[in-house]
Amino acid sequence: MTKINNDSGIELSSKAKYKPLVFALFMIGLCLISLQDISIEAVIPLGCAIVFFGLYVFNKKLKVFKFFETHFVFQPGVIGKTTVPYSALKSYAVVKKVIVITYQNPNEKEKKIRCLISQIEPKHFPLLERTLKSKISD
């Protein structure tokens, strides 16, 4: 399982990376407002802020697509990692700001991976498109 090269991954866009941080800061602000009356209402936003800050830390180093010699890995978030061999790829299209990658799983069922275009930096989009289209035509 060797990578194609060192830059063979596509990271999350900066907009998608910082969204959990914005939510965490909002929850901390909400927690500060609710501290006027000490009760359970102050603890809930603080817990949410901790969760969103954890998502932000994880998303900083997340690579949505990782390309290897025989397959690619799609991981849009903390959970939900999908490994797709290039031989199973059927099609690649962009439909209404969503990237749709169709592949056939080992059970002979056709599956689709959907990824918002906003999750990928615009400078990495040609790399994704070029890599997938070349592997589909092979």
Side-chain angles (χ1 to χ4, degrees), residues 36-48:
Q36 295 172 357
D37 181 33
I38 298 176
S39 63
I40 192 71
E41 287 87 16
V43 175
I44 293 172
L46 185 62
C48 290

Side-chain angles (χ1 to χ4, degrees), residues 7-37:
D7 298 326
S8 63
I10 297 177
E11 294 182 352
L12 270 178
S13 67
S14 58
K15 180 180 175 183
K17 279 182 191 176
Y18 293 114
K19 197 177 281 188
L21 181 63
V22 170
F23 286 132
L25 294 175
F26 174 74
M27 288 296 170
I28 289 173
L30 194 62
C31 182
L32 291 175
I33 291 171
S34 65
L35 278 178
Q36 295 172 357
D37 181 33

Side-chain angles (χ1 to χ4, degrees), residues 23-86:
F23 286 132
L25 294 175
F26 174 74
M27 288 296 170
I28 289 173
L30 194 62
C31 182
L32 291 175
I33 291 171
S34 65
L35 278 178
Q36 295 172 357
D37 181 33
I38 298 176
S39 63
I40 192 71
E41 287 87 16
V43 175
I44 293 172
L46 185 62
C48 290
I50 292 169
V51 169
F52 283 123
F53 188 73
L55 286 173
Y56 164 70
V57 169
F58 179 78
N59 284 346
K60 280 179 67 170
K61 297 182 182 186
L62 178 69
K63 292 196 182 248
V64 181
F65 288 95
K66 292 180 193 169
F67 299 107
F68 297 92
E69 289 179 10
T70 58
H71 65 282
F72 72 90
V73 177
F74 173 68
Q75 185 174 9
V78 178
I79 55 174
K81 193 179 211 180
T82 305
T83 302
V84 179
Y86 293 128

Side-chain angles (χ1 to χ4, degrees), residues 65 72 74 82 84-95 98-105 108-115 132-133 135-136:
F65 288 95
F72 72 90
F74 173 68
T82 305
V84 179
Y86 293 128
S87 60
L89 285 175
K90 295 286 186 180
S91 67
Y92 162 81
V94 178
V95 181
V98 176
I99 300 168
V100 180
I101 302 169
T102 308
Y103 68 97
Q104 194 166 2
N105 69 356
E108 303 298 322
K109 280 190 170 182
E110 203 170 85
K111 296 276 216 169
K112 292 184 180 182
I113 293 176
R114 291 179 176 86
C115 177
L132 291 178
K133 284 187 177 183
K135 297 300 180 178
I136 290 172

